């Protein structure tokens, strides 16, 4: 089974917000906005309680930086919610380029972020629509979930 399969998110999520990004320099603002949306604070004050939200922040950082580096503009990050589950979906204009985890590469050369996203999320995937590709991941926000 492929690590990154073409699939839509497992169920409907209500969009909380959508943010357009044009450079890697905007990632710090995206991380702060995510933290504020999920925990009410733009910085980590309680690492023992906020571990679940930091997983989503890291996932968003990986997916968004990949879209900015390898996808085409425009790039948009969408935060969604369904109960205790949070979705980050990142859209770019390279519909014909699937997310492909690095294989057979020296770990020092990087390119292993998609493995990290797969490990940190409860579900992940990608799909293409005409002219766009969306990579997404879901994190469970209940306290104590892994």
């Amino acid at each position: 089974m492929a690590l990154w399969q073409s699939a839509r998110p497992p169920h409907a999520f209500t969009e909380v917000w959508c943010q357009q990004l044009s450079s890697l320099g905007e990632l710090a603002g995206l991380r702060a906005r995510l933290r504020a949306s999920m925990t009410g604070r733009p910085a980590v004050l309680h690492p023992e309680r906020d571990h679940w939200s930091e997983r989503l922040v890291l996932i968003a950082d990986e997916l968004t930086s990949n879209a900015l580096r390898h996808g085409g503009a425009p790039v948009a990050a969408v935060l969604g919610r369904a109960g205790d589950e949070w979705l980050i979906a990142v859209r770019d204009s390279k519909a014909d380029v699937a997310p492909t985890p690095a294989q057979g590469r020296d770990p020092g050369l990087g390119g292993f972020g998609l493995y990290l996203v797969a490990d940190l999320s409860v579900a992940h995937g990608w799909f293409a629509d005409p002219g766009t590709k969306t990579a997404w991941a879901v994190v469970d926000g209940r306290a104590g979930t892994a």
Side-chain angles (χ1 to χ4, degrees):
M1 179 194 294
L3 179 66
W4 276 80
Q5 294 190 4
S6 179
R8 296 201 180 256
H11 50 272
F13 286 81
T14 301
E15 184 175 314
V16 176
W17 49 255
C18 176
Q19 181 172 333
Q20 302 288 327
L21 297 109
S22 58
S23 73
L24 293 171
E26 295 173 287
L27 289 175
L30 176 67
R31 290 188 295 266
R33 186 175 187 189
L34 281 165
R35 286 182 185 109
S37 295
M38 294 180 295
T39 67
R41 299 172 309 279
V44 179
L45 296 180
H46 304 286
E48 72 284 359
R49 290 195 324 240
D50 294 345
H51 57 88
W52 68 270
S53 62
E54 285 306 294
R55 282 198 302 271
L56 192 61
V57 168
L58 182 56
I59 288 167
D61 196 69
E62 288 292 336
L63 294 180
T64 306
S65 64
N66 280 352
L68 289 165
R69 286 185 180 106
H70 308 294
V75 170
V78 177
L79 179 66
R81 185 175 187 181
D84 290 325
E85 290 187 326
W86 294 83
L87 168 80
I88 188 71
V90 180
R91 182 177 60 241
D92 65 47
S93 66
K94 290 269 180 129
D96 59 337
V97 180
T100 306
Q103 293 181 350
R105 183 185 309 168
D106 179 343
L109 298 175
F112 292 89
L114 292 175
Y115 291 106
L116 183 66
V117 171
D119 286 344
L120 294 176
S121 62
V122 295
H124 65 278
W126 70 279
F127 61 91
D129 285 322
T132 66
K133 170 185 74 242
T134 302
W136 59 268
V138 175
V139 168
D140 191 330
R142 288 177 289 178
T145 58

